[in-house]
């Protein structure tokens, strides 16, 4: 064991630094001038006076009783100042490492004279305890006066330099104060960057080019270098304009274009940050990223994050590199912390290409958006190769192989989420895969609901059988519509496009038609309900509407808008502006959509007339016709009841208002009650369903 293992680590540097006589003299001069300018306001006690005088090598008065007040020490301080001044040449530069370092940092960060001198005082405070004792006794009301008296700066400029949103605090040269200053020691507290630069005081000889380069290296730490990309550009198949993005950045780097900015957006976890890292690796340039927190994990304010971005852009000064600004939501959405004009200039003058990342762009001011040369959306990659990669990520998840395949096929599954599931999988019992699937399904369902999405069907478990095993498979012949469906489906299959509004009784087969049509066309069915689109933020619903239409258009999918009446209300009766804007957005998307669209509603009378004009055809779903009802009943009843069913009069069936959904529910009732499936028990259950759905009607009374 060595002494170095128990000695304070900072002592070896600080003790060596204090051997610099010029720095010590600088600290002493500043201390004496402060004491003389403050006079009685200095407020030192007897012990503090003794410490300061010993540091200045001034012999204290012999009478202890008189050594209590500033008046007793003023002549001694003035004499010391005269002697020190006589030994110095006023126009000569201050010849010490600290002053040289301060000048070069001020030059690199473009600090003005008050900021530079306050930075100097902050360093002296950290390194010279007697000077610090004087600061502790200086009240907050005298801070501006004290610094102005030392350097002759305008007092307003001094107060400006000490502001919370000033550059010294934004960059971490001074520490932030949540409370008002109590004394000058609080005002000059060093920030994390000041401490990070302090080792340079014991570095190479002053005036060397190495010192300048080391200053630059440490200042670049404001935006740390990012790791290299782990993938190739081909991996990002969900970014159709990725080659244009490479070409744009490559030209901006070669030609040194100022104001080159790219905005990349997409849902969380789709790989936006990895794309940027891959771009930098492809271009062969370093990537620097604006952090969201200090090194001590304290969050950075929007103003501080932008200050760091600006400084690193300035330090790079057209060096080949990219600067990434992730999570811009907390910056550009904060108008109080971020004046619009200042941000616009920041987006127009950056010498190095900036890549800005956001989860969404609907909240961004158009004045910001138009200053991005490229706006690129990163979407979840639905290709076979992407699904294979997800399956490999989920390989260690202790579930069945089929469940891993279903998870990888989910449209919302991303590499980030797959990685999270993989980590959670280590906590699950690998001997109980089916129970694990149940846990994962519950977990993911809660997650989706928290994100404003509605889980559709089973997430990872195998789909269960139909609610009743006796319900026959879907048959379009059991749907009673006006106009008839046979010719409509045939023409939609041939044309590959059309916009239909499906309205009528619940359970009459509207959603089932969408499944049938997608299967006939051999296309994906995108089913979106109103609850999936409604967003709590202003503009969020409109953005989700546009996104689902775009996804269906580009993928050639059949788009089903379920419960569309929740979105398409009469604008004349709307009570809020956002109700009008979301209806307008849906109208625009309906007008532009050139694919197959089905919209379902049980309340067609509530729809805006302008909406109805956007649909090519309105299809009404009616109760089962007598022939259809008899056929459907025959398909579910046992053979022994077929003769009794055939004897029922036609007019008796014609008086009923039943749908396939009513029959499914009635079968479930019998199953839950443990009753046999016979004609009389089924008709009794159907009567109850009809009564609950349509009110007090004449009972069925078959027998």
């Amino acid at each position: 064991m060595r002494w170095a293992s128990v000695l304070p680590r900072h002592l070896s540097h600080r003790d060596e630094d204090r051997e610099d006589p010029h720095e010590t003299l600088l600290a002493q001069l500043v201390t004496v001038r402060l004491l003389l300018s403050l006079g009685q306001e200095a407020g030192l006690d007897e012990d503090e006076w003794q410490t300061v005088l010993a540091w200045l090598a001034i012999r204290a008065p012999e009478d202890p009783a008189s050594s209590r007040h500033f008046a007793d020490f003023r002549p001694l301080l003035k004499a010391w100042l005269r002697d020190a001044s006589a030994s110095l040449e006023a126009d000569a530069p201050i010849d010490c490492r600290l002053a040289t370092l301060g000048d070069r940092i001020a030059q690199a960060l473009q600090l003005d004279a008050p900021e530079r001198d306050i930075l100097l005082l902050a360093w002296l405070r950290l390194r010279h305890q007697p000077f610090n004792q004087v600061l502790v006794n200086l009240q907050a009301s005298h801070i501006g006066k004290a610094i102005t008296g030392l350097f002759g700066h305008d007092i307003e400029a001094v107060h400006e330099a000490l502001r919370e949103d000033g550059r010294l605090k934004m960059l971490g040269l001074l520490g932030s104060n949540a409370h008002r200053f109590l004394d000058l020691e609080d005002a000059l507290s060093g920030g994390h960057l000041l401490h990070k630069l302090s080792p340079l005081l014991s570095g190479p000889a002053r005036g060397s080019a190495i010192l300048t380069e080391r200053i630059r290296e440490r200042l670049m730490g404001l935006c740390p270098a990012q790791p290299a990309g782990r993938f190739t550009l081909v991996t990002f198949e969900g970014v159709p304009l990725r080659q244009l993005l490479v070409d744009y950045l490559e030209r901006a780097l070669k030609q040194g274009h100022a104001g080159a900015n790219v905005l990349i957006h997409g849902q969380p976890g789709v790989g936006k940050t990895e794309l940027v890292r891959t771009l930098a690796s492809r271009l062969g340039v370093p990537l620097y990223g604006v952090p969201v927190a200090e090194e001590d994990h304290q969050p950075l304010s929007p103003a501080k994050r932008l200050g760091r971005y600006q400084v690193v852009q300035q330090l790079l000064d057209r060096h080949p590199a990219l600067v990434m600004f992730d999570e811009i939501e907390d910056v550009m959405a904060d108008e109080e912390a971020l004046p619009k004009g200042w941000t616009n200039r920041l987006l127009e003058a950056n010498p190095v290409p900036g890549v800005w990342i956001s989860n969404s762009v609907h909240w961004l001011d158009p004045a910001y958006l138009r200053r991005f040369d490229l706006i690129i959306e990163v979407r979840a990659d639905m290709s076979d190769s992407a699904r294979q990669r997800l399956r490999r990520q989920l390989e260690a998840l202790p579930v069945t192989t089929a469940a891993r395949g279903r998870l990888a096929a989910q449209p919302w599954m991303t590499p980030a989420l797959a990685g999270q599931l993989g980590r959670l999988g280590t906590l699950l019992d690998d001997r109980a895969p089916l129970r694990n699937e149940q846990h994962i399904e519950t977990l993911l369902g809660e997650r989706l609901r928290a994100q404003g999405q509605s889980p559709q069907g089973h997430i990872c478990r195998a789909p269960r059988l139909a609610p009743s095993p006796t319900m026959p498979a879907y048959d379009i012949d059991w749907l009673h519509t006006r106009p008839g469906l046979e010719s409509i489906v045939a023409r939609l299959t041939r044309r590959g496009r059309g916009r239909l509004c499906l309205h009528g009784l619940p359970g009459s087969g509207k959603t089932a038609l969408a499944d049938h049509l997608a299967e006939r066309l051999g296309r994906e069915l995108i089913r979106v309900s109103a609850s999936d689109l409604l967003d709590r933020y202003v503009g969020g619903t409109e953005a989700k509407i546009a996104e689902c239409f775009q996804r269906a258009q580009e993928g050639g999918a059949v788009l089903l808008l379920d419960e569309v009446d929740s979105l398409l209300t009469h604008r004349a009766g709307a009570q809020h502006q956002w109700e009008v804007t979301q209806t307008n957005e849906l109208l625009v998307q309906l007008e532009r959509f050139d694919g197959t669209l089905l919209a379902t509603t049980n309340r067609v009378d509530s729809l805006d007339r302008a909406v109805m004009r956007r649909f090519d055809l309105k299809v009404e779903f009616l109760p089962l016709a007598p022939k259809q009802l008899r056929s459907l009943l025959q398909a579910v009843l046992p053979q022994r009841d077929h003769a009794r069913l055939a004897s029922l009069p036609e007019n008796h069936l014609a008086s009923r208002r039943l749908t396939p959904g009513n029959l499914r529910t009635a079968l479930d009732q019998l199953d839950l009650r443990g009753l046999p499936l016979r004609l009389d028990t089924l008709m009794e259950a159907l009567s109850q369903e009809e009564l609950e759905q349509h009110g007090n009607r004449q009972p069925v009374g078959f027998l």
Side-chain angles (χ1 to χ4, degrees):
M1 185 173 183
R2 300 178 184 273
W3 284 111
S5 63
V6 293
L7 285 172
R9 297 185 180 183
H10 64 279
L11 285 182
S12 60
H13 291 302
R14 292 184 62 176
D15 288 349
E16 176 186 345
D17 295 339
R18 289 184 184 174
E19 294 176 2
D20 185 342
H22 293 92
E23 180 184 326
T24 302
L25 180 58
L26 172 62
Q28 291 171 334
L29 278 168
V30 170
T31 303
V32 171
R33 290 200 58 206
L34 263 180
L35 289 170
L36 289 173
S37 65
L38 294 172
Q40 296 290 351
E41 297 171 352
L44 273 65
D45 61 23
E46 183 177 350
D47 290 338
E48 290 168 338
W49 274 116
Q50 295 299 326
T51 300
V52 171
L53 293 177
W55 180 50
L56 296 172
I58 296 176
R59 188 172 182 177
E62 295 182 0
D63 182 6
S66 64
S67 304
R68 298 176 183 275
H69 304 290
F70 171 74
D72 300 321
F73 307 116
R74 178 187 290 158
L76 299 174
L77 294 174
K78 285 187 174 182
W80 185 95
L81 185 59
R82 280 195 306 270
D83 293 341
S85 301
S87 65
L88 298 173
E89 184 179 344
D91 293 334
I94 300 175
D95 190 18
C96 69
R97 286 188 297 246
L98 188 146
T100 301
L101 186 61
D103 286 340
R104 296 194 180 190
I105 291 172
Q107 183 181 11
L109 298 177
Q110 294 186 354
L111 302 180
D112 58 25
E115 292 168 332
R116 178 202 62 199
D117 294 339
I118 290 172
L119 172 63
L120 181 71
L121 293 178
W123 243 325
L124 293 176
R125 171 197 172 278
L126 288 175
R127 297 165 60 80
H128 299 276
Q129 181 59 27
F131 175 58
N132 199 40
Q133 284 185 346
V134 175
L135 301 181
V136 172
N137 288 277
L138 181 60
Q139 297 180 6
S141 58
H142 301 142
I143 291 174
K145 173 185 173 183
I147 298 177
T148 300
L150 277 174
F151 302 108
H153 299 310
D154 179 74
I155 193 168
E156 292 298 327
V158 171
H159 286 305
E160 189 71 20
L162 292 171
R163 285 169 54 97
E164 283 294 313
D165 57 356
R167 278 178 291 185
L168 292 176
K169 294 191 176 183
M170 279 176 54
L171 300 175
L173 291 168
L174 292 185
S176 295
N177 297 90
H179 53 78
R180 297 184 62 184
F181 299 136
L182 300 178
D183 51 48
L184 189 52
E185 183 192 31
D186 293 325
L188 297 178
S189 61
H192 76 278
L193 182 58
L194 189 72
H195 291 281
K196 189 173 183 178
L197 292 167
S198 293
L200 295 177
L201 292 169
S202 57
R206 57 187 179 276
S208 68
I210 298 177
L211 177 60
T212 301
E213 182 57 29
R214 289 191 176 179
I215 291 173
R216 181 181 177 277
E217 288 175 0
R218 280 168 171 76
L219 291 176
M220 287 300 298
L222 291 169
C223 296
Q226 300 296 296
R230 298 180 295 162
F231 306 101
T232 63
L233 204 59
V234 179
T235 306
F236 297 91
E237 296 184 36
V239 187
L241 299 177
R242 57 189 181 277
Q243 187 56 51
L244 176 62
L245 186 54
V246 171
D247 296 340
Y248 168 81
L249 292 172
E250 188 173 36
R251 185 179 65 179
L253 289 167
K254 286 182 178 179
Q255 300 182 2
H257 287 169
N261 289 286
V262 173
L263 176 60
I264 293 179
H265 66 99
Q267 293 296 316
V270 294
K272 302 184 292 295
T273 303
E274 282 297 334
L275 170 62
V276 179
R277 290 172 177 170
T278 301
L279 287 169
S281 297
R282 170 70 178 270
L283 295 166
V285 297
L287 174 68
Y288 299 95
V290 179
V292 297
E294 305 273 17
E295 291 181 350
D296 60 359
H297 306 296
Q298 292 297 316
L300 285 168
S301 68
K304 286 184 177 181
R305 295 188 70 204
L306 282 164
R308 292 192 175 203
Y309 175 83
Q310 188 178 35
V311 167
V312 169
Q313 283 279 355
Q314 178 182 315
L315 290 169
L316 287 169
D317 192 23
R318 302 190 189 280
H319 280 69
L322 299 179
V323 182
M324 177 177 67
F325 202 121
D326 203 349
E327 299 183 29
I328 67 173
E329 290 86 345
D330 65 333
V331 175
M332 291 190 175
D334 191 345
E335 295 183 358
E336 293 184 3
L338 189 65
K340 185 183 295 185
W342 189 88
T343 310
N344 289 341
R345 289 193 298 272
L346 189 69
L347 291 170
E348 293 170 351
N350 52 300
V352 171
V355 184
W356 305 72
I357 300 178
S358 175
N359 292 331
S360 177
V361 295
H362 71 266
W363 52 268
L364 272 175
D365 191 294
Y368 296 152
L369 287 173
R370 70 180 182 85
R371 284 172 167 80
F372 293 102
D373 293 331
L374 286 177
I375 300 177
I376 305 292
E377 182 181 6
V378 180
R379 299 175 187 165
D381 191 350
M382 304 295 292
S383 64
D384 291 340
S385 57
R387 297 298 145 190
Q388 289 289 346
R389 288 193 295 271
L390 288 173
R391 276 192 284 271
R392 286 195 293 271
Q393 278 189 277
L394 297 167
E395 193 64 37
L397 198 62
V399 296
T400 63
T401 302
R404 281 193 288 270
R406 283 190 290 272
L407 283 170
Q410 296 293 342
W412 38 259
M413 181 59 66
T414 64
L417 180 53
Q420 290 177 335
L421 288 175
R423 291 190 292 273
L424 289 172
T426 60
L427 305 175
L428 301 175
D429 185 355
D430 56 7
R431 296 168 299 181
L434 296 180
R435 185 174 62 186
N436 294 340
E437 290 176 15
Q438 183 177 1
H439 290 334
I440 291 171
E441 185 141 325
T442 301
L443 182 149
L444 291 175
E446 294 293 337
R447 182 191 187 99
L448 290 171
R449 281 186 284 272
Q451 295 175 343
Q453 303 180 52
S454 298
Q456 298 293 336
H458 293 279
I459 295 174
C460 65
R461 289 182 294 168
R464 297 176 180 177
L465 297 175
S468 171
T470 54
M471 188 68 185
Y474 173 85
D475 190 334
I476 195 173
D477 290 337
W478 287 325
L479 301 183
H480 184 201
T481 65
R482 187 168 49 219
L485 286 178
E486 185 176 349
S487 61
I488 294 174
V489 171
R491 291 181 181 178
L492 280 176
T493 304
R494 184 175 66 252
R495 295 175 59 191
R497 59 183 177 83
R499 295 166 295 188
L500 273 62
C501 176
L502 313 180
H503 63 95
L505 295 173
S508 54
K510 300 183 291 294
T511 304
L513 175 62
D515 291 316
H516 173 74
L517 186 58
E519 185 178 352
R520 282 279 299 267
L521 293 172
R523 298 181 183 179
E524 176 191 3
L525 174 65
I526 297 177
R527 177 177 176 176
V528 183
S529 65
S531 58
D532 296 327
L533 297 176
L534 292 173
D535 194 281
R536 58 179 174 175
Y537 296 110
V538 175
T541 299
E542 292 88 323
K544 288 184 176 181
I545 290 172
E547 182 180 355
C548 79
F549 273 89
Q550 184 178 10
R551 178 184 164 199
Q553 187 76 64
E554 294 179 355
V558 175
L559 178 58
L560 172 63
L561 296 180
D562 221 351
E563 306 167 7
V564 74
D565 47 274
S566 300
L567 294 170
L568 294 175
T569 54
H570 282 290
R571 287 171 291 179
Q575 298 180 6
H576 304 283
Q577 179 61 33
W578 55 264
E579 293 177 306
V580 176
T581 56
Q582 72 184 28
T583 299
N584 288 341
E585 177 64 29
L586 196 42
L587 286 174
V588 171
Q589 295 297 337
L590 285 171
E591 187 72 32
R592 295 176 178 174
F593 188 68
D594 189 28
T596 303
L597 167 75
L598 304 179
T600 70
T601 176
N602 297 328
R603 300 168 53 234
V604 69
D605 294 338
S606 69
L607 297 184
D608 193 303
R609 291 183 180 179
V611 173
M612 299 306 293
R613 290 198 299 269
R614 261 73 174 184
F615 291 108
D616 303 323
L617 190 64
K618 276 69 73 177
V619 180
E620 182 180 7
F621 280 67
L622 305 167
L624 290 165
K627 183 178 180 181
Q628 292 173 314
L629 178 56
R630 194 186 300 273
S631 173
L632 189 53
L633 290 172
Q634 182 173 330
V636 300
L637 286 170
Q639 181 69 35
R640 57 188 174 182
D641 282 335
H642 287 186
R644 295 180 64 200
L645 174 63
S647 66
L648 291 177
E650 190 79 3
N651 62 350
H652 192 87
L653 295 178
S655 65
R656 308 277 62 87
R657 297 188 66 196
L658 295 170
T659 67
N662 295 142
L663 181 59
R664 179 182 292 275
T665 304
L667 291 172
D668 285 340
Q669 285 184 20
L670 296 181
D671 188 40
L672 289 172
R673 294 167 62 189
L675 297 176
L677 177 58
R678 300 301 301 270
L679 179 61
D680 53 349
T681 57
L682 179 59
M683 301 316 296
E684 180 184 353
L686 285 172
S687 297
Q688 185 62 35
E689 277 296 297
E690 189 177 17
L691 179 64
E692 292 179 358
Q693 184 170 4
H694 303 295
N696 187 20
R697 289 177 54 85
Q698 185 179 1
V700 175
F702 284 100
L703 301 177

